[in-house]
Amino acid sequence: LAQGTVLSGSAAKFSSHPAAMAMKYLGAYLMAVLGGKESPSADDVKAILDAGGISYEEDMIAKLCERMDGKQAHELIAAGYGKFAASGGGGGGGGGGGG
């Protein structure tokens, strides 16, 4: 898909969901971090999305970069993981077995 491409059908439903849209930007940002960019720029994020043929909105990328400014991705992930782990894991499935 080229930038600005209009999607139809199930692709349009998926892309219009705010969380799904946010994930592509965050995913591209984190790919840039994994690629060695400590603080990826908007151009870094755009390059990754372009390489995948993924359409994007300039303002969404700018907002992501603005919110990430001065923050380390690995620290945010660790903080989020700590919150997730604190919520508990639920019960395990019973062992069945028998026999």
Side-chain angles (χ1 to χ4, degrees), residues 25-33 38-40 45 64-65 68 71 73:
Y25 300 111
L26 186 56
Y29 186 92
L30 292 174
M31 288 176 78
V33 170
E38 188 172 311
S39 183
V45 175
L64 170 67
C65 291
M68 291 299 293
K71 298 176 182 147

Side-chain angles (χ1 to χ4, degrees), residues 52-74:
I54 301 169
S55 62
Y56 56 82
E57 296 175 29
E58 300 269 347
D59 62 325
M60 292 291 286
I61 294 173
K63 186 181 292 188
L64 170 67
C65 291
E66 178 183 314
R67 288 185 172 189
M68 291 299 293
D69 188 37
K71 298 176 182 147
Q72 298 293 315
H74 68 276

